[in-house]
Amino acid sequence: MASAAQHTSKFARYLNSETGPKTVHFWAPVMKWSLVLAGLNDIQRPVEKLSGTQQIALFATGAIWTRWAGFVIRPRNALLASVNFFLGGVAGYQLVRIVNFRREKGDSPAQVFHYLFNGEQ
């Protein structure tokens, strides 16, 4: 019986692992990729239509969970770490777009900060 367990394929071991497709540790990150795709789609959206608070929240989520999923929690979940890394990257890019847009309009750094957290007044 022990020899049969040693001869299982890599796919079978992955299928039955703690982060395999039979667990939430697999499906939650797969579904989270939709947020990354939505963020990539927003690159085509005019900057004035983007929400600063939403992008800050997505950036913070991506940064915090990349660290936790990749280095702190066990089992280590590379799929969750990768989706959060890209989520933070896309949100960071959108934040840079917003900041550059507001600076080109002549806003001071304080006004840009206010705009990011409160929107247009």
Side-chain angles (χ1 to χ4, degrees):
M1 185 135 209
S3 64
Q6 292 174 344
H7 296 294
T8 57
S9 69
K10 288 183 180 182
F11 178 74
R13 284 190 302 246
Y14 172 70
L15 190 64
N16 296 315
S17 73
E18 293 176 315
T19 58
K22 292 183 177 180
T23 68
V24 71
H25 300 290
F26 175 83
W27 289 106
V30 167
M31 296 300 154
K32 199 169 190 178
W33 277 104
S34 63
L35 293 174
V36 176
L37 294 175
L40 289 172
N41 190 43
D42 281 349
I43 290 173
Q44 300 172 358
R45 179 180 262 194
V47 179
E48 55 271 4
K49 300 238 182 215
L50 296 175
S51 167
T53 52
Q54 178 182 14
Q55 299 307 321
I56 290 169
L58 290 172
F59 178 77
T61 298
I64 292 166
W65 280 103
T66 297
R67 180 183 181 279
W68 278 89
F71 304 105
V72 177
I73 60 174
R74 299 287 181 250
R76 183 174 292 162
N77 192 335
L79 183 59
L80 183 60
S82 66
V83 71
N84 281 300
F85 177 80
F86 283 101
L87 181 65
V90 168
Y93 177 75
Q94 299 291 26
L95 284 170
V96 168
R97 284 184 64 208
I98 294 169
V99 168
N100 288 341
F101 173 74
R102 297 306 296 190
R103 295 290 291 167
E104 287 173 6
K105 287 186 79 171
D107 287 359
S108 70
Q111 290 171 317
V112 172
F113 183 82
H114 184 268
Y115 177 80
L116 281 174
F117 285 95
N118 300 317
E120 192 74 55
Q121 295 297 334

